[in-house]
């Protein structure tokens, strides 16, 4: 069959990949921070304010565009039913993004189809699709920019899409900046429409922040910087980097500091990239963009001690792209190469992610959501406050007003951290007197236990060990093998 008769095969690959990944919806593996964005969207629905607690404005979500998209899905499907349609939407957008990427890198439609499916079932691709974060939209927009803006040469796309990309996440300036630099070196001229798009995007997101929230940078970025700020020496920074890079460059996080699997894959990625760019091919322009961006994004975020997995999902995928291209384009023993890749890497990684999704989905959806639902029933007055960390599942399902320990959804915590970081938690409790405290520790065993004995009573102990059962023995074994979640103690103020 000729290539002209295979034009629809990549489209079929998109549909098959999306349907295949829908199985992961049954794991209920949804990222904690997704519920922050969704509560902000529902706050906009209920109060007409982008916030987290009633009519108080705060950029509690890192992503403005995804908040608006989530708002629309809540409006259409209702608060009780919007999650699954939104996750399917995210998965579709991500897979279409991989479709665009395949078109700028490969010629054969069969190669594109295989590429779309294998990229789609990598662990970070599954997480982008089903964890409820904004990266499905982001990957779609970034790959659409490469395909329509730079592969097809659509100038209007180069102007418009940077605005949407920056409105999704402000740190995408790294991606847009990398594209600009590679384009400048490659074509030896300044791309003025793209510069205009970048200026409009930066002006739009910063202007929106300033006009609506009275701040230039999103509150979430400021809060994390304040809460996680550590002053390290050069030697400490180097040690920190060597301890963490292996678990973030690759797709497999393992306990401990040394991850040989990631180091092997990283080496293979580099070798494949060097092999491909030695060939004189127009696609090298895009290979340079995605590979340099992957490295720059990883280095910047690890150097800033950002250890949240989602910052690394897109770079992990893009850094692995040269490996797939190298194997798909082997003329001799291609089936052997592809079989070895699937048997020894793709399939094990897929199984690992499946086990991880089932275990973590239990710890998040079945356990942490259970705490939120308990509070929702226990406390009918939704104007009462709870002080806890993190601010995702439990505030969302409890409906209570929330103070979080990082200050993502409450700016007063940030001020307390700046005044007295060592004692900010206790100072916040005494000053704000929240009705509920949800703590990882036994407050009656602290050095200031007397205060809690006088003012708070223990309501309930939540233990992850109580949520490691299932009617299905295999799933129960997975729960026990990889228990996900933390023990909590719930306290209620008595005066």
């Amino acid at each position: 069959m000729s290539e002209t008769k295979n034009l629809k095969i990549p489209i079929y690959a998109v549909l098959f990949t999306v349907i295949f990944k829908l199985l992961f919806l049954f794991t209920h593996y949804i990222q904690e921070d997704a519920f922050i964005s969704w509560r902000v969207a529902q706050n906009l629905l209920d109060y007409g304010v982008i916030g987290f607690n009633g009519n108080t404005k705060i950029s509690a979500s890192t992503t403005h565009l995804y908040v608006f998209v989530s708002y629309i899905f809540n409006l259409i499907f209702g608060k009780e039913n919007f999650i699954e349609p939104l996750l399917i939407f995210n998965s579709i957008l991500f897979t279409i993004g991989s479709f665009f990427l395949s078109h700028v890198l490969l010629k054969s439609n069969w190669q594109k189809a295989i590429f779309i499916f294998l990229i789609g079932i990598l662990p970070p691709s599954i997480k982008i699709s089903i964890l409820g974060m904004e990266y499905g939209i982001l990957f779609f927009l970034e790959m659409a920019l490469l395909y329509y803006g730079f592969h097809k040469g659509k100038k209007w796309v180069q102007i418009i899409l940077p605005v949407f990309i920056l409105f999704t996440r402000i740190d995408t300036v790294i991606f847009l900046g990398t594209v600009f630099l590679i384009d400048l070196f490659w074509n030896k001229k300044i791309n003025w429409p793209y510069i205009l798009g970048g200026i409009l995007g930066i002006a739009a997101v910063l202007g929106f922040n300033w006009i609506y929230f009275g701040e230039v940078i999103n509150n979430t970025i400021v809060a994390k910087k304040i809460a996680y700020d550590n002053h390290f020496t050069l030697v400490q920074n180097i040690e920190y980097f060597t301890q963490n890079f292996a678990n973030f460059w690759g797709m497999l996080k393992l306990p401990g500091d040394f991850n040989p699997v990631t180091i092997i894959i990283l080496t293979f990625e580099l070798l494949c990239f060097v092999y491909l760019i030695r060939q004189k091919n127009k696609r090298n322009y895009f290979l340079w963009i995605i590979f340099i961006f992957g490295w720059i994004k990883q280095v910047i975020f690890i150097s800033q001690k950002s250890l949240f997995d989602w910052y690394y999902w897109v770079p992990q995928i893009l850094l692995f792209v040269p490996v797939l291209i190298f194997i798909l384009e082997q003329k001799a023993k291609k089936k052997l190469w592809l079989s070895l890749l699937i048997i020894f890497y793709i399939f094990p990684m897929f199984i690992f992610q499946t086990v991880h999704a089932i275990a973590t989905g239990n710890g998040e959806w079945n356990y942490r959501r259970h705490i939120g639902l308990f509070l929702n029933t226990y406390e009918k007055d939704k104007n009462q406050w709870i002080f806890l960390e993190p601010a995702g599942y439990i505030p969302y399902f409890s409906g209570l007003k929330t103070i979080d320990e990082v200050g993502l959804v409450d700016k007063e915590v940030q001020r307390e951290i700046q005044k007295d970081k060592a004692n900010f938690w206790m100072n916040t409790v005494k000053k704000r007197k929240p009705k509920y405290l949800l703590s990882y520790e036994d407050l009656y065993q602290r050095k200031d236990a007397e205060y809690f004995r006088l003012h708070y009573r223990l309501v309930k102990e939540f233990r992850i060990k109580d949520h490691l059962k299932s009617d299905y023995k295999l799933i129960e074994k997975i729960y026990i093998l990889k228990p996900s979640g933390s023990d909590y103690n719930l306290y209620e103020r008595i005066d």
Side-chain angles (χ1 to χ4, degrees), residues 13-62:
V14 169
L15 294 173
F16 177 76
T17 304
V18 170
I19 293 170
F20 183 81
K21 288 201 291 189
L22 291 184
L23 293 171
F24 279 88
L25 294 181
F26 294 104
T27 67
H28 295 296
Y29 179 28
I30 302 175
Q31 178 62 42
E32 181 89 27
D33 283 48
F35 285 98
I36 297 179
S37 295
W38 294 343
R39 172 147 163 172
V40 172
Q42 292 179 356
N43 200 83
L44 178 61
L45 191 68
D46 294 336
Y47 297 94
V49 171
I50 300 174
F52 198 88
N53 294 312
N55 58 8
T56 302
K57 294 179 181 180
I58 186 171
S59 52
S61 172
T62 309

Side-chain angles (χ1 to χ4, degrees), residues 225 228 240 298-307 312:
K225 182 66 177 175
Y228 302 132
Y240 189 91
Q298 302 272 48
V299 169
I300 288 175
F301 274 77
I302 290 179
S303 69
Q304 295 304 304
K305 315 198 177 44
S306 301
L307 299 185
Y312 304 90

Side-chain angles (χ1 to χ4, degrees), residues 118-137:
L118 293 183
I119 279 287
I121 62 172
L122 292 174
S125 305
I126 292 169
K127 288 185 277 193
I128 285 175
S129 300
I130 67 157
L131 260 67
M133 300 286 278
E134 65 272 14
Y135 287 93
I137 292 176

Side-chain angles (χ1 to χ4, degrees), residues 155 180-181 183-192:
K155 297 300 180 183
F180 171 75
L181 291 175
D183 183 70
L184 179 64
F185 286 120
W186 191 270
N187 294 310
K188 304 295 190 297
K189 62 180 181 180
I190 296 175
N191 187 335
W192 293 108

Side-chain angles (χ1 to χ4, degrees), residues 112-334:
K112 292 174 185 176
I114 297 170
F115 176 90
I116 290 166
F117 179 71
L118 293 183
I119 279 287
I121 62 172
L122 292 174
S125 305
I126 292 169
K127 288 185 277 193
I128 285 175
S129 300
I130 67 157
L131 260 67
M133 300 286 278
E134 65 272 14
Y135 287 93
I137 292 176
L138 183 60
F139 191 79
F140 167 80
L141 291 172
E142 290 178 339
M143 297 306 108
L145 175 65
L146 294 183
Y147 179 66
Y148 288 108
F150 291 91
H151 183 66
K152 294 291 187 181
K154 305 291 185 183
K155 297 300 180 183
W156 66 268
V157 172
Q158 295 179 18
I159 296 171
I160 298 298
L161 282 191
V163 178
F164 287 97
I165 290 170
L166 282 162
F167 232 76
T168 306
R169 286 189 67 92
I170 197 169
D171 57 36
T172 53
V173 69
I174 300 171
F175 174 79
L176 296 173
T178 302
V179 173
F180 171 75
L181 291 175
I182 298 299
D183 183 70
L184 179 64
F185 286 120
W186 191 270
N187 294 310
K188 304 295 190 297
K189 62 180 181 180
I190 296 175
N191 187 335
W192 293 108
Y194 186 56
I195 287 180
L196 175 60
I199 292 172
L200 290 175
I202 293 171
V205 67
L206 298 186
F208 177 77
N209 283 346
W210 178 254
I211 292 169
Y212 192 84
F213 297 108
E215 59 195 16
V216 176
I217 304 298
N218 299 48
N219 175 72
T220 51
I221 297 173
V222 175
K224 289 175 182 177
K225 182 66 177 175
I226 294 171
Y228 302 132
D229 187 36
N230 289 305
H231 300 288
F232 283 12
T233 65
L234 176 61
V235 173
Q236 287 175 322
N237 275 310
I238 294 172
E239 289 177 352
Y240 189 91
F241 179 82
T242 55
Q243 287 172 1
N244 290 288
F245 91 93
N247 275 334
F248 288 94
W249 247 288
M251 302 169 199
L252 182 67
K253 286 191 68 177
L254 296 173
D257 298 338
F258 182 69
N259 188 338
V261 176
T262 293
I263 295 172
I264 292 169
I265 296 301
L266 175 61
T267 303
F268 196 44
E269 289 171 350
L270 282 166
L271 292 174
C272 290
F273 174 72
V274 171
Y275 173 84
L276 292 174
I277 61 170
R278 286 172 63 86
Q279 304 170 6
K280 292 186 178 180
N281 196 311
K282 289 182 180 179
R283 71 164 178 212
N284 288 358
Y285 171 81
F286 297 102
L287 281 173
W288 276 107
I289 287 174
I290 64 175
F291 208 73
I292 295 300
F293 162 69
W295 274 83
I296 291 175
K297 176 73 179 288
Q298 302 272 48
V299 169
I300 288 175
F301 274 77
I302 290 179
S303 69
Q304 295 304 304
K305 315 198 177 44
S306 301
L307 299 185
F308 299 107
D309 285 8
W310 49 90
Y311 294 141
Y312 304 90
W313 292 343
V314 173
Q316 286 169 358
I317 294 167
L318 296 181
L319 288 174
F320 193 72
V321 164
V323 175
L324 279 180
I325 297 175
F326 170 77
I327 290 174
L328 288 171
E329 293 187 345
Q330 288 299 307
K331 294 179 180 179
K333 299 181 179 179
K334 180 170 71 174

